[in-house]
Each structure stands twice: as C-alpha cells, then as structure tokens.
Amino acid sequence: MTVQAASQSLIEDGPAGISRAVNRMIGGIIGYARWPAVPPSGTRRLCIIGQPRLAAPISQRLPGGYLVRAERMSAQAAMAGSRCDILFLGQLASSDRQRLIEWVRGRPILTLTDDDPRCLYGAMFCLAARGPGLSFSVNLDAVGRGPLRIDPRVLKIGGPEGGAR
C-alpha cells in the first residue's frame, strides 16, 4: 500500500475553527476529483457513515464553490443504492468499514475518513488533526482501484516537499 501525507490547513481556535479547516480540506480534495458522469460544477451527494471525529458539521457549500448534499446514514443504506458520490467514514464497526470499502471498489465514489490517520483501512483520503494543523494522507492504492480520477497534482501535495502549509 502506498500512502503519502501532506499538511494542508491550520486550525483556528475552538470547535468552529476545526469545522472550518475540515470544510476547507474536504472542498480542496473534491477539487482534485473528477467523476465520470458528474459535471465539475455539479452538486455531490456526501454520505456520512458512523460518527465523525472532526467533520461535524460539513457545510453544504464548501470552499472552491462545491455544493454538497450531506446526510447521515447507515452503512447498509449507503450500499442499498443511496447514490453517494462521496462517503465520509467516521467511527464505525470494523466489519461495516470493511464492507463499505469492498463495496466501493470499481465505483466512482470518493472515500474520506477521519478515523484512520495513517490511511491503512482502504479510504482514499484520511484526515487527521496533528499539532496546530489538519493534515491528510492519500492512499494511492485505493485511488487506483476505481473509475474516479484524482488530479495528479495531489501527488505533489503529498510528496516529500509538501504543499501549502
């Protein structure tokens, strides 16, 4: 498994600062993704599974002008045809996480989590609060398994030189 990490956003004081940093980061990540059947300016359906550690609440209008329709649901509901463009995996049972990751393979669904800072369990992007900032890791193996395309510039951000800090 190939994982690269990058620090991207400083967290301002308090819970509202964490929420703003998470929304900036999610908006930035969405900006790197291209869905085969969704225009770049289209609304994305973001399905929140489990209990997020960092990502509550997710804004309906993310930085970069991306519109998302965020809603919480169970793993079973997501896999039962909910038409999620993005899965945000919070804390959830290992068996549910494993089923979701297996189910998403081959589908144009972006996977994010804030419950796997080392990005070991199959999500494409993993958010983590580290020191005064919020960082993300990219699981290149997970990115390469499906039809969703991630702009190669994300590799530069995840490389040893890092990106915007």
Side-chain angles (χ1 to χ4, degrees), residues 72-88:
R72 292 183 180 273
M73 64 179 60
S74 69
Q76 294 76 16
M79 292 184 288
S82 63
R83 298 183 191 216
C84 302
D85 297 304
I86 305 162
L87 289 181
F88 193 100

Side-chain angles (χ1 to χ4, degrees), residues 4-66:
Q4 293 186 320
S7 179
Q8 184 70 14
S9 187
L10 290 176
I11 297 174
E12 302 159 21
D13 290 335
I18 293 170
S19 181
R20 283 189 296 274
V22 168
N23 282 303
R24 278 192 310 266
M25 187 162 288
I26 292 173
I29 290 169
I30 290 171
Y32 285 111
R34 294 294 174 262
W35 284 261
V38 179
S41 61
T43 299
R44 308 299 190 280
R45 185 165 185 200
L46 188 147
C47 301
I48 302 168
I49 318 288
Q51 293 299 326
R53 293 174 185 253
L54 301 171
I58 294 175
S59 175
Q60 298 296 318
R61 182 177 292 278
L62 296 170
Y66 299 101

Side-chain angles (χ1 to χ4, degrees), residues 1-6 113 116-128 130 135-145 154-155 157-160:
M1 173 174 52
T2 305
V3 175
Q4 293 186 320
T113 187
D116 180 15
R118 295 182 57 208
C119 224
L120 300 175
Y121 303 114
M124 295 175 183
F125 293 89
C126 304
L127 282 58
R130 293 194 174 108
S135 65
F136 70 91
S137 297
V138 181
N139 183 328
L140 299 175
D141 293 337
V143 169
R145 287 190 192 115
V154 79
L155 301 178
I157 292 173

